[in-house]
Amino acid sequence: MSQRASRQAMIVAGVMSGTSADGINVALVRVGDAQGSRERSGTASDSRGRGRPRHIIKLLGHAEYSYPAKVRAAVLAAMNATRASVADLARLNFLLGELYADAVLATQRQFRVRADLVGCHGQTLYHQGEAQGFLGRNVAATWQTGESAVIAARVGVPVVSDFRPADMAAGGKGAPLVPYLDYLLFRNAKIGRIVQNIGGIANLTVIPAGAHASDVFAFDTGPGNMVIDAVTDALFGRAFDRGGKIAASGKVLESVVGAMLRSKFFRAKPPKTAGREEFGREFVREFLRRCGRARKQDVVATATALTARSIADAVRRFVISKSGSPTKNSFREIASATIQLPGPRSLILSGGGARNATLVRMLGEQLAPLGVKLRFSDEFGLPSEAKEAVAFAVLAYETWNRRPSNLPSATGAKRGAVLGKISYA
Ligand SMILES: Nc1ncnc2c1ncn2[C@@H]1O[C@H](COP(=O)(O)OP(=O)(O)O)[C@@H](O)[C@H]1O
Ligand SMILES: [Mg+2]
């Protein structure tokens, strides 16, 4: 392996905008290969990830920019649309490119750092990880918008974008991709870790103690902030429940939580992915119907409890099994077995939901009986809200170096794939 030229460290701007459609996160990250240390079999490489490099990943700065209200409304409308104007979607693509470029340029100015490369996730308008019949063929499909040619032209450096299709073309669901970073950052020889992100959707990555890349698995647990945001908007006219204050003043309607948790998504075994398709308008309408004439703050408290309970249930049912032996955690075996995460274990929280104190309290209460210690990604030097942006900086770095960065055990892909497309400045 040593004949390979050592890679220059680069500064990469990772740009993320998630399903919450709250705005844009930019992380400026120094990424490089650690000197002379390609991992050897038996440490963290394996049949699929043989010779994966060790990485240097250093966060230099992070900033967050809200979408202007009109843009947020347009993005949400496009996501939920059964019909949309093609002209508007084309214009939205170019407009988002301008906004992403502005966000990168502003972050560079703020931290007096210039990026050599941009990795931009884009705004997901549609994601269907499973193939379904369409016009006589079975196809899976995904669409992240935000024109990278515009970003490259404005920022003046190459841009890697559109990360998901290559994994799908290789047979994967195109998600989740962040577990690659989770694995690089949080693997531990002795401690089994669950890395839980609470964005619009909540997803977790399981990294058993001493895991190889192929032992990592991941799935969506259900709504993160999506339902909380929707009911807070509907009942209080606010985009989200800041600090979880409204939820803290309400009482949880346990019967509603129980009823919603019986829906198909929660019962399905991993691997599974969710989006607005599962927890958007329809789901919220059903949720509100079940809440009936409850007090407004009780409805928000109940939505918050639903997220906490669905995460804890997923951990209990699909990550920790009380009986049974540790399983080889291959993607396909997860469908028929639960995984034991023995011994000391912790759950590391990230995403905007980590700032909702009521949600965090509820989650802590649910996890304590499972012997899972709640921690924050901030404790590991990675601000909760920056993690996904850092992930796309690291993925872009891998692509720039023509290296695969999907985890087939997490996405279900048949092989590793070099992710994304490159736009040159
Ligand atoms: N201070 C806060 N208090 C409560 N919730 C917050 C706070 N800040 C962010 N959030 C929640 O986090 C969401 C955004 O989280 P984020 O990780 O950016 O999700 P996504 O990846 O889906 O964009 C917001 O919509 C909101 O619900
Ligand atoms: Mg966001």
Side-chain angles (χ1 to χ4, degrees):
M1 297 282 168
S2 53
Q3 71 274 27
R4 195 162 182 172
S6 69
R7 307 285 176 188
Q8 283 280 319
M10 305 174 89
I11 296 176
V12 189
V15 185
M16 180 64 197
S17 44
T19 46
S20 297
D22 55 325
I24 305 167
N25 294 80
V26 181
L28 290 165
V29 190
R30 185 187 297 283
V31 195
D33 290 9
Q35 284 229 312
S37 62
R38 295 188 73 76
E39 288 174 351
R40 292 168 49 199
S41 200
T43 53
S45 64
D46 52 63
S47 58
R48 283 187 179 135
R50 190 173 298 284
R52 273 180 202 276
R54 286 179 191 278
H55 290 71
I56 298 165
I57 299 169
K58 188 173 187 318
L59 180 62
L60 305 176
H62 165 254
E64 213 169 344
Y65 305 89
S66 297
Y67 280 141
K70 280 185 192 163
V71 174
R72 176 164 202 252
V75 168
L76 289 173
M79 283 173 171
N80 285 309
T82 46
R83 281 157 191 266
S85 146
V86 175
D88 283 351
L89 293 178
R91 291 192 283 230
L92 187 62
N93 181 43
F94 277 71
L95 174 74
L96 289 178
E98 298 287 355
L99 297 185
Y100 292 145
D102 288 351
V104 171
L105 292 170
T107 311
Q108 291 191 147
R109 279 194 297 273
Q110 184 182 342
F111 294 97
R112 298 172 195 280
V113 170
R114 277 218 164 140
D116 306 303
L117 180 72
V118 173
C120 181
H121 174 270
Q123 184 72 57
T124 297
L125 292 186
Y126 185 73
H127 185 80
Q128 178 209 312
E130 296 277 2
Q132 285 173 14
F134 179 68
L135 305 179
R137 288 284 286 262
N138 271 338
V139 288
T142 190
W143 188 12
Q144 283 76 46
T145 186
E147 184 48 59
S148 52
V150 171
I151 308 171
R154 301 289 177 270
V155 180
V157 298
V159 178
V160 184
S161 63
D162 224 1
F163 291 86
R164 300 189 189 275
D167 179 78
M168 292 168 72
K173 288 175 193 289
L177 298 182
V178 176
Y180 185 74
L181 176 73
D182 292 335
Y183 172 68
L184 295 182
L185 290 181
F186 297 118
R187 64 193 159 170
N188 186 284
K190 301 215 169 71
I191 301 172
R193 285 175 169 161
I194 301 164
V195 187
Q196 175 77 52
N197 192 72
I198 308 183
I201 292 294
N203 57 278
L204 63 74
T205 305
V206 182
I207 312 169
H212 296 179
S214 61
D215 299 326
V216 174
F217 71 102
F219 60 95
D220 288 347
T221 55
N225 302 293
M226 194 173 276
V227 179
I228 305 172
D229 285 359
V231 300
T232 304
D233 182 40
L235 302 175
F236 291 87
R238 296 187 207 157
F240 61 95
D241 178 17
R242 187 175 295 277
K245 288 231 170 68
I246 300 172
S249 70
K251 202 170 142 295
V252 175
L253 306 167
E254 295 292 348
S255 63
V256 176
V257 176
M260 296 313 282
L261 284 173
R262 280 193 285 278
S263 72
K264 204 170 116 218
F265 179 86
F266 299 114
R267 282 184 288 127
K269 286 179 177 161
K272 51 184 176 177
T273 60
R276 279 195 188 271
E277 297 78 7
E278 285 76 18
F279 297 107
R281 274 186 200 162
E282 293 292 310
F283 185 91
V284 170
R285 194 173 299 141
E286 170 68 8
F287 177 83
L288 286 172
R289 194 187 63 73
R290 285 187 185 273
C291 288
R293 298 158 69 119
R295 296 187 312 161
K296 292 195 294 185
Q297 59 271 44
D298 295 352
V299 176
V300 177
T302 303
T304 308
L306 176 67
T307 293
R309 270 282 298 283
S310 62
I311 292 170
D313 277 8
V315 169
R316 191 177 58 245
R317 293 169 62 186
F318 304 125
V319 180
I320 300 162
S321 61
K322 289 203 185 87
S323 58
S325 54
T327 356
K328 249 288 166 242
N329 307 331
S330 88
F331 181 77
R332 276 165 194 78
E333 281 172 70
I334 295 161
S336 57
T338 52
I339 307 303
Q340 197 180 47
L341 194 63
R345 53 202 178 202
S346 57
L347 182 141
I348 303 166
L349 208 54
S350 62
R355 287 190 258 168
N356 182 324
T358 307
L359 177 57
V360 170
R361 174 179 58 76
M362 289 175 173
L363 189 55
E365 287 167 6
Q366 296 278 333
L367 291 174
L370 303 177
V372 177
K373 193 167 178 277
L374 190 58
R375 304 190 64 182
F376 292 86
S377 97
D378 309 65
E379 297 170 43
F380 298 81
L382 188 57
S384 288
E385 60 278 14
K387 195 182 87 171
E388 299 214 316
V390 172
F392 285 94
V394 173
L395 294 179
Y397 172 82
E398 298 296 54
T399 300
W400 188 249
N401 289 300
R402 288 214 199 182
R403 294 192 299 223
S405 58
N406 58 335
L407 285 182
S409 59
T411 65
K414 293 187 180 63
R415 56 176 170 79
V418 179
L419 303 179
K421 294 159 192 165
I422 301 177
S423 302
Y424 290 91

